[in-house]
Amino acid sequence: AQTVTQSQPEMSVQEAETVTLSCTYDTSESDYYLFWYKQPPSRQMILVIRQEAYKQQNATENRFSVNFQKAAKSFSLKISDSQLGDAAMYFCAYRSAYLDYGGSQGNLIFGKGTKLSVKP
Amino acid sequence: SQTIHQWPATLVQPVGSPLSLECTVEGTSNPNLYWYRQAAGRGLQLLFYSVGIGQISSEVPQNLSASRPQDRQFILSSKKLLLSDSGFYLCAWWTLANYGYTFGSGTRLTVV
């Protein structure tokens, strides 16, 4: 079974600085998707960034970028120029790329989250 | 546009009462639909998923059940709520074209 581990329960960053959140995962599959979700106090789950495992190039979305190391099974999130609105829980998640008909392998598996605080 | 609706937003129910949470999606067909629960300060736990009408798979034995009476409707139910059913419930859908999960706004359930 696949697992996702976020080893940093809490992180803090100064406004305008850069912070990196860590995520590691365990899988025997070769094709999968990885995600970072943001959950602000409203608890709405918001997709921050996604990475397809077959792509070697790291995904970027504005101030958010990932460092995807497939061999090491590592998927960290870098937030540049941190803003107060970035304060939230961040979840790393894994999903198999294989069709999930009749099985649970297509379900999204979450880490336990990292709470990010941004200091003004 | 593709959207997901979930209601109610907040619910306070006494122990032993029934439950019905509803989730509907728009702008897509035959989506894979999911119910997750999030306990306070913790990650998300998958409860049920559905790949089509009438097809429900349960991930965790519990006091809850799910149904999918229509292609874009997913319902979470309970006949008798327990205190341990309290939590934040999220509906989500996945399509390959979307390359990701889209979540509803969630329901905060408190069982008293």
Side-chain angles (χ1 to χ4, degrees):
Chain A
Q2 297 85 9
T3 58
V4 176
T5 302
Q6 293 178 249
S7 59
Q8 307 152 315
E10 296 188 23
M11 291 283 285
S12 180
V13 63
Q14 203 71 33
E15 193 175 7
E17 302 276 303
T18 295
V19 65
T20 298
L21 308 183
S22 301
C23 173
T24 58
Y25 58 95
D26 189 26
T27 183
S28 59
E29 298 175 334
S30 59
D31 199 11
Y32 47 86
Y33 308 103
L34 295 166
F35 305 87
W36 279 99
Y37 280 90
K38 169 185 177 181
Q39 188 180 41
S42 67
R43 301 192 79 174
Q44 173 82 50
M45 293 291 284
I46 302 166
L47 178 64
V48 175
I49 199 166
R50 59 175 170 249
Q51 174 82 41
E52 290 91 336
Y54 67 87
K55 292 186 178 179
Q56 293 185 337
Q57 186 174 7
N58 289 324
T60 61
E61 288 287 341
N62 301 314
R63 298 183 294 108
F64 299 88
S65 62
V66 297
N67 183 6
F68 174 47
Q69 301 290 327
K70 191 172 183 179
K73 296 179 182 176
S74 172
F75 183 61
S76 60
L77 174 70
K78 185 171 81 171
I79 305 174
S80 304
D81 186 25
S82 297
Q83 300 175 358
L84 295 177
D86 294 332
M89 283 289 288
Y90 285 82
F91 291 96
C92 179
Y94 169 102
R95 187 189 192 273
S96 170
Y98 299 98
L99 294 176
D100 56 354
Y101 297 122
S104 63
Q105 66 268 31
N107 299 322
L108 200 60
I109 301 168
F110 287 86
K112 293 187 176 180
T114 296
K115 184 178 181 179
L116 177 66
S117 302
V118 181
K119 298 177 180 178
Chain B
S1 62
Q2 298 169 330
T3 56
I4 181 169
H5 302 281
Q6 187 179 343
W7 67 94
T10 304
L11 195 59
V12 180
Q13 291 285 95
V15 169
S17 64
L19 172 74
S20 180
L21 304 181
E22 189 163 344
C23 172
T24 59
V25 298
E26 296 179 359
T28 186
S29 60
N30 197 32
N32 289 352
L33 296 172
Y34 303 82
W35 279 110
Y36 284 88
R37 177 169 61 195
Q38 184 180 28
R42 302 188 66 179
L44 277 73
Q45 178 189 38
L46 178 65
L47 301 176
F48 300 96
Y49 71 97
S50 172
V51 299
I53 296 173
Q55 300 180 62
I56 307 294
S57 295
S58 174
E59 288 294 299
V60 181
Q62 60 219 323
N63 185 44
L64 302 170
S65 62
S67 62
R68 186 165 175 179
Q70 301 180 41
D71 180 44
R72 286 169 282 183
Q73 183 184 30
F74 202 23
I75 298 172
L76 182 68
S77 304
S78 174
K79 292 182 179 178
K80 291 185 178 181
L81 283 169
L82 306 172
L83 287 174
S84 57
D85 292 324
S86 294
F88 189 65
Y89 289 83
L90 283 160
C91 179
W93 66 280
W94 161 278
T95 60
L96 190 59
N98 197 36
Y99 268 107
Y101 278 53
T102 300
F103 286 86
S105 54
T107 296
R108 187 185 306 274
L109 172 66
T110 303
V111 182
V112 297

